[in-house]
């Protein structure tokens, strides 16, 4: 299934347009009709004729396998398509296994790496002991570091990365644009406004959960506002939605600047640290805060894969195929809002995961959403667990902001992606 940068007719024979195929079929049919007089009834081909090389049934001398039509336009199945589908399915399975194995190895390595080094064997032994499967516990300090500091951070990185990666794949499918990502419709900026407002105004009505709750609610309010403002005549156009998201992002940036202006020095430091994105404050309660939203969104998203494949043909063909485009778009925007707002609420603003991950998988296995949606969740988790490990270890004893690290890596990739897309399409005009 093709996205916006691929031609919908990529599966046809090179150099043949649909009109050309129809003319070829008509010409072949007319030739066959003229070759036999109208008074002479046409007889059914015998067994010998049906198997004679160069005389396919019903063609009277037409090229084998054509049935008087251009290749690929008749009823005969194309054996190359099932073979290609099988290869792509096997490749998707191998990629899934590789992503799962990489994620497990990274999680184990990350859990034992840091200022207090814990060997991987000891991590596994402690986990087995906690699960009642044997093993042995670590010393008091090791157990505290592993279970109260490292593992909450690894699990939170996994959930946040999976949420952002899956949200990016859904956004690109909804907009039919490979350069879309969750921040396009203002979810991240809206969540940031909620968190900054809670910090700048000194709100504490939910205790330690105040910033998280305000960020989540503000993100949902923002995406709802963008959707309602972009509707016209009961429909939502993609261009209007994107432009509205740009305007809302600018307004959210102005609000953040206003809160920073009126905040004191301590609040400014807290706002700045939150905006840079980090998992340094990861705890089990924060994991539990994001877990329901992440699990709900990640379980629902794959059920929309087939409809996203049909939507990539274009809105009009999708409607002819029975897809309620408006309802589909609304449902997916709500799923994206749920995933992104929950992730941003607990981890701050972390950019480029939703843009990079779906593109890498699309380049590896094609644009089919049956693999792309769950695969983006797995790959997003891999990328963020690896990014958090790098943020903790590259500048020891200091810690790099995770959002800054992903932006440093993602920005050059985004520039390369723009150049590549422009070169393949022969320019933007």
């Amino acid at each position: 299934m093709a996205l916006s940068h691929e031609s919908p007719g990529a599966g046809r024979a090179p150099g043949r347009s649909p009109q050309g195929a129809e003319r070829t079929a008509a010409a072949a049919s007319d030739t066959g009709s003229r070759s036999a007089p109208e008074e002479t009834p046409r007889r059914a081909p015998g067994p010998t004729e049906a198997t004679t090389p160069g005389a396919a049934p019903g063609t009277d001398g037409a090229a084998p396998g054509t049935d008087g039509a251009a290749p690929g336009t008749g009823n005969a199945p194309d054996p190359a398509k099932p073979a290609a589908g099988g290869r792509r399915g096997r490749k998707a399975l191998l990629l899934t296994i590789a992503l799962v194995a990489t994620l497990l190895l990274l999680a184990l390595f990350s859990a034992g790496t840091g200022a207090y080094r814990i060997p991987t064997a000891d991590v596994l032994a402690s986990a087995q002991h906690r699960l009642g499967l044997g093993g042995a516990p670590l010393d008091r300090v090791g157990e505290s570091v592993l279970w109260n500091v490292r593992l909450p951070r690894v699990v939170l990185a996994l959930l946040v990365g999976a949420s952002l990666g899956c949200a990016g794949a859904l956004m690109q499918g909804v907009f039919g644009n490979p350069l879309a990502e969750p921040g396009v419709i203002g979810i991240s900026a809206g969540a940031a406004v909620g968190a900054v407002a809670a910090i700048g105004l000194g709100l504490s009505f939910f205790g330690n959960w105040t910033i998280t709750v305000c960020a989540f609610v503000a993100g949902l309010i923002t995406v709802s506002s963008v959707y309602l403002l972009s509707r016209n005549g009961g429909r939502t156009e993609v261009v209007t939605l994107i432009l509205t998201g740009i305007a809302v992002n600018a307004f959210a940036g102005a609000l953040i600047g206003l809160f920073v202006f009126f905040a004191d020095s301590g609040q400014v430091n807290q706002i700045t640290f939150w905006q840079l994105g980090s998992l340094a404050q990861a705890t089990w309660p924060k994991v539990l805060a994001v877990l329901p939203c992440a699990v709900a969104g990640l379980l629902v998203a794959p059920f929309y894969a087939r409809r996203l494949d049909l939507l990539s043909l274009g809105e009009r063909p999708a409607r002819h195929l029975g897809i309620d485009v408006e309802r589909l778009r609304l449902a997916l925007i709500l799923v994206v809002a749920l995933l992104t707002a929950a992730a941003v609420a607990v981890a701050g603003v972390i950019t480029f995961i939703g843009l990079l991950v779906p593109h890498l998988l699309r380049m590896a296995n094609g644009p089919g959403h049956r693999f792309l949606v769950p695969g983006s969740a797995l790959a997003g988790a891999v990328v963020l667990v690896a990014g958090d490990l790098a943020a903790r270890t590259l500048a020891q004893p200091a810690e790099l902001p995770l959002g800054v690290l992903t932006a440093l890596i993602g920005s050059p990739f985004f520039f390369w992606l723009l150049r590549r897309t422009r070169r393949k399409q022969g320019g933007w005009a």
Side-chain angles (χ1 to χ4, degrees), residues 152-355:
R153 186 161 184 165
V154 171
V155 175
L156 191 62
L158 189 152
L159 291 174
V160 171
S163 298
L164 294 177
C166 182
L170 294 178
M171 285 292 295
Q172 292 175 11
V174 167
F175 290 115
N177 190 328
L179 301 181
E181 58 107 17
V184 168
I185 55 176
I187 304 173
S188 300
V193 169
V196 170
I199 296 171
L201 298 177
L203 304 180
S204 59
F205 44 80
F206 286 112
N208 294 331
W209 293 81
T210 303
I211 296 175
T212 302
V213 170
C214 289
F216 181 73
V217 172
L220 293 181
I221 291 175
T222 302
V223 72
S224 301
S225 302
V226 170
Y227 183 78
L228 292 174
L229 289 172
S230 60
R231 286 179 64 85
N232 183 24
R235 293 184 57 189
T236 305
E237 295 180 351
V238 172
V239 175
T240 307
L241 197 65
I242 293 175
L243 293 176
T244 306
I246 292 173
V248 169
N249 274 321
F251 184 71
L255 288 178
I256 291 172
L258 194 62
F259 283 120
V260 170
F261 178 78
F262 287 108
D264 58 34
S265 58
Q267 292 171 337
V268 169
N269 291 335
Q270 191 177 358
I271 290 171
T272 302
F273 182 76
W274 190 90
Q275 281 188 286
L276 293 177
S278 176
L279 299 175
Q281 305 299 321
T283 58
W284 287 118
K286 285 195 173 183
V287 171
L288 293 177
V290 73
L291 184 64
C293 298
V295 170
L298 294 174
L299 288 178
V300 168
F303 290 100
Y304 291 95
R306 178 180 172 275
R307 278 170 278 185
L308 282 173
D309 285 339
L310 296 178
L311 184 60
S312 65
L313 295 172
E315 287 192 24
R316 185 173 296 176
R319 287 193 180 95
H320 287 311
L321 292 170
I323 301 299
D324 188 337
V325 175
E326 191 65 24
R327 181 178 296 180
L328 174 64
R329 187 168 289 148
L330 175 61
L332 289 178
I333 287 176
L334 290 177
V335 173
V336 170
L338 190 69
L339 292 170
T340 307
V344 172
V346 297
V349 180
I350 298 176
T351 57
F352 285 102
I353 299 294
L355 176 66

Side-chain angles (χ1 to χ4, degrees), residues 344-382:
V344 172
V346 297
V349 180
I350 298 176
T351 57
F352 285 102
I353 299 294
L355 176 66
L356 299 179
V357 167
H359 263 292
L360 293 175
L361 293 184
R362 196 177 288 111
M363 292 165 62
N365 194 62
H369 288 86
R370 291 182 62 185
F371 167 74
L372 186 63
V373 172
S376 295
L378 281 174
V382 169

